[in-house]
Amino acid sequence: MSKILVGLKRVVDYNVRVRVKPDGTGIVTDGVKMSINPFDEIALEEALRIKEKGAAAEVIVVGIGPADAQQQLRTGLAMGADRAILVQTDATVEPLAAARIFLQLIEKESPQIVLLGKQGIDDDNNQTGQMLAALWNRPQATFASKVELDGAKARITREVDAGLETIEVDLPAVITSDLRLNEPRYVKLPDIMKAKKKPLDVLSIADLGVSTDSQFKTLKYDPPAGRQKGIMVKDVAELVAALKQKGLV
Ligand SMILES: Cc1cc2nc3c(=O)[nH]c(=O)nc-3n(C[C@H](O)[C@H](O)[C@H](O)COP(=O)(O)OP(=O)(O)OC[C@H]3O[C@@H](n4cnc5c(N)ncnc54)[C@H](O)[C@@H]3O)c2cc1C
């Protein structure tokens, strides 16, 4: 029976107000709450549902990042994944390097489906799934808001500018999750205890023979401009007058 590989990226929690370092070289992460990238949590939930329907035998969560990324993998195991792989590195891993790492793991594990989030909420690249499908030479179904499996095929409903599009791909394939695919389950305390005993393999980038050399250089981070003070209007007529004065209507 088939396996599903799921990417779990460690990112700053989406509830945290991100602060840019005073010298603009990055964002402040010291003492900041880190979590699973929300799109990846949705990808994992979908993989678990596929397994619960009997269409997969094993769900393997994969993290690429520092030793601390084990925390997010343990959460993934507590949600229900069977085992975890951490490709440990302190280097910045850009989408192409991440895709190359996943390709190496695909060669080891031969999954039927690789489920990734459509984007990381930290760097917003929306590239890893697409690059992986190209490197793997297999179909991709991105922005999935519904996944239906039918033997060796998957029918995916995806959100596009014009509405919803339904496509069918042959498996193995890469699927990337959109926000509306599902609602991830909560982790219960007994599951956290059980997750401590589940296998978590740690590999190095060197084990996989992949380079993390950068394709681009980030020059500077700028915080968004602060919001201007608003004004209170007493009725619609005053609102319209104020908008007219600003040339907005
Ligand atoms: C669910 C969803 C939410 C989105 N939200 C946002 C948002 O919040 N903000 C935002 O900015 N955008 C958003 N977008 C993206 C945006 O609406 C467009 O989808 C996107 O900008 C165009 O990408 P594409 O998929 O058409 O890209 P592609 O088809 O990959 O095309 C990209 C570019 O490649 C070149 N190209 C591709 N094919 C050809 C060809 N045959 N000949 C010549 N050149 C070609 C063109 O230069 C083209 O513009 C969203 C999209 C989706 C689906």
Side-chain angles (χ1 to χ4, degrees):
M1 271 265 266
S2 64
K3 294 180 194 176
I4 306 179
L5 280 192
V6 182
L8 289 193
K9 187 175 187 186
R10 174 182 168 88
V11 297
V12 172
D13 187 88
Y14 71 96
N15 287 308
V16 170
R17 199 187 175 99
V18 173
R19 281 183 302 123
V20 174
K21 288 181 187 166
D23 63 1
T25 56
I27 58 152
V28 178
T29 52
D30 286 350
V32 167
K33 184 179 178 210
M34 305 296 283
S35 298
I36 298 175
N37 180 41
F39 291 103
D40 299 2
E41 211 177 345
I42 292 168
L44 174 55
E45 175 64 37
E46 198 63 23
L48 295 173
R49 290 182 191 189
I50 292 170
K51 186 184 162 193
E52 284 158 3
K53 281 185 201 149
E58 196 179 23
V59 174
I60 306 163
V61 283
V62 176
I64 306 167
D68 286 346
Q70 289 197 20
Q71 293 162 6
Q72 282 65 45
L73 292 174
R74 287 283 171 210
T75 305
L77 292 170
M79 278 177 73
D82 299 287
R83 62 190 168 94
I85 302 171
L86 172 64
V87 180
Q88 193 173 321
T89 175
D90 290 322
T92 302
V93 178
E94 290 167 5
L96 184 56
R100 286 182 174 141
I101 290 167
F102 272 102
L103 186 67
Q104 293 301 314
L105 297 176
I106 286 169
E107 277 168 20
K108 283 178 191 282
E109 302 285 352
S110 305
Q112 273 291 88
I113 300 174
V114 179
L115 251 162
L116 307 178
K118 73 168 181 176
Q119 70 196 94
I121 61 161
D122 49 358
D123 50 23
D124 265 345
N125 278 313
N126 179 233
Q127 294 172 7
T128 306
Q130 292 88 329
M131 287 177 170
L132 175 61
L135 294 174
W136 190 14
N137 201 20
R138 293 301 311 169
Q140 57 173 298
T142 52
F143 315 136
S145 56
K146 191 171 178 190
V147 174
E148 297 161 287
L149 296 187
D150 182 7
K153 291 186 187 296
R155 198 166 310 113
I156 312 292
T157 304
R158 45 194 308 278
E159 298 191 6
V160 292
D161 282 354
L164 297 177
E165 175 187 53
T166 304
I167 61 168
E168 193 173 77
V169 293
D170 288 332
L171 299 176
V174 176
I175 301 173
T176 72
S177 60
D178 209 338
L179 210 54
R180 282 161 288 274
L181 179 56
N182 60 47
E183 190 132 331
R185 66 196 64 191
Y186 285 105
V187 172
K188 297 187 208 89
L189 190 60
D191 296 328
I192 295 173
M193 303 315 285
K194 267 189 244 158
K196 289 186 179 167
K197 296 203 179 112
K198 289 186 179 176
L200 192 161
D201 290 334
V202 180
L203 305 177
S204 72
I205 299 251
D207 291 335
L208 301 175
V210 173
S211 160
T212 53
D213 287 353
S214 205
Q215 308 291 309
F216 59 84
K217 190 169 153 195
T218 303
L219 301 179
K220 193 156 85 82
Y221 287 84
D222 281 315
R227 283 183 67 172
Q228 284 181 342
K229 195 168 180 288
I231 56 161
M232 293 295 285
V233 291
K234 66 173 185 307
D235 54 26
V236 173
E238 202 177 303
L239 173 65
V240 172
L243 291 173
K244 275 192 180 151
Q245 203 189 359
K246 287 181 180 289
L248 295 171
V249 290

